[in-house]
Amino acid sequence: MIQPASIIDIAKSVRTGSIKSTELTKSVLDDISRRNSDYVCFTRVFAEQALAAAQAVDDQVAAGLDPGPLAGVPFAVKDLYDVAGLPTTAGAKMRVSSAPATQDAVVVKRIKDAGAVLIGTLNMDEFAYGFATVNPHFGTTRNPHDVTRLAGGSSGGSAAAVAAGLVPLTLGSDTNGSVRVPAALCGLWGIRPADGAIPVEGTFPFAEILDTVGPFTRSLAELELVYELIAGAPLIRSKSTPRVAKLEGWFTTNASSEVLDALAKVMSHLGVKDTVELTEAKTARSASYLITAAQGGSLHLETMRTRAMEYDPAVRDRLLAGAVLPAALYQKAMDFRSFYRARIQQIFQHVDILIAPTTPVVAPRIDQATMLIDGQQASARANLGIYTQPLSLAGIPVVSAPFHVASGLPIGIQFATAPGRESMLFQLLRRLEKDGVLRSQSIPG
Amino acid sequence: MSPINDDQRASQHSFDVFGLLNLVLPSECVAGVEANMELMKVHARIVEAFDLTKATHKASEE
């Protein structure tokens, strides 16, 4: 099953009995055992439990019952979602033997309740602190479009598993861009929901006021279906024509020519020339950086006092620096956040959808340490999120959509809207996907 | 005594902090933390340079 059918096709086939969930699950498990080592996506595979869940789906169909809109759909989750009976590692070796979760994360339960079959857990940066999915304990996840390149992070295993066709649906989390960055680099659809739109209960926290969870898929229809299921309510359909603008300034500075070209093609197709310059974006990125470091550092401080040497050294250094951030600076960043969110609300009085690149460049090579930022060489991994971090701080829903690249590496475009206008956002994206401007591309050969 | 500037404040803070960190961390770990603190200072300066009062006033006028 190199390129799986869509989630929608799978569920339809399983519900009508034309394919058996157990057969599909066996096929997926075989495929993972053969190909996972090429990409380093899965950290754990629950073969026995998956086959039992698939059998339950088949039994329901045989009994004339409907297993649900995701009947038999194989899915997997970033290794920070609670799965009942198993430790939640959050990508940390020190948590491999921690106490097992007593119940599934809310979102995992909702997907299982819709008939999907949980296959396993996926690789990530330790404690979600990174944009690379370079994990010293579980390995470096490789981009299926070019295995010498990063898949992005911190939900890199989730993105690579869908891009490689190992499973058609995965879940990640997005604090500063950890769904959008890997979705962009792996050529997928991914969403960071509005703050509070989708429950994060049962996921290992990072920076709690910024943490969100979201899915990865290969098509917009699949993303919408899963979004509505995990949000627990259907979107209220909008018939309004959205007012669209491109984010200028910060969001185009430092972008490569191929990324700017993709953005220009999207704007040209929409026939939109309006722009918005969010002059506070640079400060927003820095405030997001400080808040994340301070909250992450605070969360881990007690553990670091006694088990510091068990952390990924790169993560430990960031967390410790965050733990000692002066409180006055943290407060200043939080005060800015309040101002900035009000400022974003003001902007959304005049516009419905803002468009910007997801990352400044295509997937960097795994051995590429730096990239050009403001004319100087800077850490490639640290700067993959320069366009996602300011939108995270705003707490607004943002989809990273795959620009249709005929050949070459994937490019992601962010489409952001005000909370409550998600339906309008999906409506615009449907048009762009239908017109072939946005499309997930298959991996080479 | 003249007021301390941002760099001095951050340096003073980091001095105190490293006294604390050395209690729980082997010395070879301190350099990595220090490098991240330097990066954090860059972001702190950007946030501190933002005049929230002026920006709020301007936003309310708009």
Side-chain angles (χ1 to χ4, degrees):
Chain A
M1 219 178 79
I2 300 299
Q3 296 297 332
S6 80
I7 291 166
I8 295 158
D9 292 339
I10 290 171
K12 188 177 172 189
S13 301
V14 170
R15 285 165 118 175
T16 57
S18 60
I19 61 169
K20 291 212 175 294
S21 178
T22 42
E23 293 306 314
L24 176 63
T25 303
K26 280 178 194 167
S27 163
V28 166
L29 292 169
D30 286 348
D31 195 31
I32 292 168
S33 68
R34 279 188 293 107
R35 295 199 296 130
N36 183 54
S37 58
D38 295 344
Y39 311 113
V40 193
C41 300
F42 279 85
T43 52
R44 290 175 291 185
V45 175
F46 313 135
E48 197 178 317
Q49 296 96 318
L51 288 167
Q55 185 62 58
V57 169
D58 288 339
D59 290 346
Q60 281 184 291
V61 173
L65 302 170
D66 182 2
L70 296 180
V73 171
F75 81 108
V77 297
K78 185 175 184 175
D79 211 343
L80 52 62
Y81 283 81
D82 284 352
V83 175
L86 297 165
T88 307
T89 75
K93 193 176 177 186
M94 72 168 76
R95 292 191 50 83
V96 165
S97 303
S98 59
T102 54
Q103 56 187 349
D104 289 336
V106 172
V107 170
V108 172
K109 183 174 185 309
R110 285 183 182 174
I111 291 187
K112 281 184 175 178
D113 287 349
V117 172
L118 180 63
I119 300 292
T121 54
L122 298 157
N123 201 17
M124 57 184 285
D125 290 291
E126 188 184 72
F127 293 117
Y129 211 163
F131 285 125
T133 311
V134 173
N135 186 308
H137 318 300
F138 299 104
T140 296
T141 296
R142 295 172 177 276
N143 193 318
H145 291 272
D146 178 349
V147 292
T148 68
R149 293 177 184 269
L150 293 172
S154 62
S155 312
S158 303
V162 175
L166 295 174
V167 282
L169 169 64
T170 60
L171 297 177
S173 66
D174 190 314
T175 301
N176 279 301
S178 288
V179 165
R180 289 163 289 159
V181 169
L185 301 191
C186 292
L188 299 173
W189 293 85
I191 183 168
R192 174 196 169 88
D195 285 357
I198 298 190
V200 297
E201 281 79 10
T203 58
F204 197 92
F206 175 18
E208 290 192 80
I209 65 160
L210 293 168
D211 289 345
T212 63
V213 295
F216 292 89
T217 63
R218 289 170 53 89
S219 73
L220 178 62
E222 294 169 282
L223 191 79
E224 276 192 83
L225 170 65
V226 175
Y227 179 84
E228 287 188 329
L229 282 169
I230 61 178
L235 291 167
I236 299 160
R237 300 293 165 194
S238 165
K239 288 186 178 171
S240 311
T241 303
R243 298 161 296 175
V244 181
K246 180 174 76 163
L247 277 168
E248 276 285 6
W250 174 265
F251 294 93
T252 48
T253 306
N254 292 309
S256 68
S257 58
E258 59 203 317
V259 168
L260 288 174
D261 186 48
L263 181 64
K265 284 178 177 155
V266 170
M267 302 315 296
S268 165
H269 187 83
L270 289 170
V272 170
K273 290 182 179 165
D274 291 348
T275 60
V276 168
E277 180 157 3
L278 189 55
T279 52
E280 300 86 354
K282 182 179 181 179
T283 313
R285 192 234 177 172
S286 289
S288 187
Y289 187 98
L290 295 179
I291 292 168
T292 301
Q295 292 206 348
S298 171
L299 179 71
H300 286 272
L301 187 57
E302 280 311 303
T303 310
M304 287 190 295
R305 285 188 198 284
T306 53
R307 305 181 69 182
M309 302 312 289
E310 295 173 53
Y311 281 77
D312 171 354
V315 171
R316 178 189 63 221
D317 293 347
R318 287 179 213 137
L319 289 172
L320 279 168
V324 297
L325 185 78
L329 280 175
Y330 173 70
Q331 190 54 53
K332 190 127 195 179
M334 290 295 284
D335 290 345
F336 172 81
R337 175 178 177 258
S338 300
F339 161 80
Y340 178 68
R341 289 161 74 93
R343 169 90 174 104
I344 294 285
Q345 278 183 12
Q346 261 186 342
I347 290 172
F348 280 123
Q349 287 175 6
H350 311 290
V351 67
D352 296 303
I353 294 167
L354 295 168
I355 303 180
T358 308
T359 57
V361 292
V362 296
R365 290 177 57 89
I366 291 170
D367 59 5
Q368 180 187 334
T370 63
M371 59 193 269
L372 205 59
I373 296 289
D374 295 334
Q376 295 185 323
Q377 290 298 327
S379 165
R381 291 171 192 178
N383 285 292
L384 284 171
I386 58 172
Y387 302 148
T388 55
Q389 286 169 296
L391 299 180
S392 288
L393 196 70
I396 56 177
V398 191
V399 168
S400 180
F403 178 72
H404 181 217
V405 181
S407 62
L409 292 164
I411 292 170
I413 305 289
Q414 292 186 98
F415 293 80
T417 192
R421 296 185 205 166
E422 289 86 348
S423 169
M424 202 184 278
L425 174 62
F426 283 128
Q427 180 191 314
L428 181 82
L429 293 170
R430 274 196 294 275
R431 177 182 150 200
L432 288 168
E433 188 183 43
K434 182 169 169 280
D435 293 348
V437 178
L438 303 175
R439 185 183 298 164
S440 184
Q441 67 198 91
S442 299
I443 59 171
Chain B
M1 186 180 166
S2 60
I4 57 171
N5 64 30
D6 292 345
D7 283 350
Q8 287 168 326
R9 191 179 295 119
S11 299
Q12 181 178 312
H13 180 82
S14 60
F15 178 83
D16 293 342
V17 161
F18 281 105
L20 174 68
L21 288 182
N22 282 326
L23 294 176
V24 295
L25 278 180
S27 56
E28 66 264 27
C29 297
V30 175
V33 182
E34 203 163 27
N36 275 280
M37 287 191 70
E38 288 304 316
L39 189 55
M40 206 166 292
K41 283 183 201 171
V42 173
H43 289 292
R45 283 190 202 105
I46 292 168
V47 171
E48 289 208 300
F50 188 82
D51 189 336
L52 199 55
T53 309
K54 192 175 161 188
T56 306
H57 182 68
K58 191 181 164 201
S60 66
E61 280 184 341
E62 285 173 8

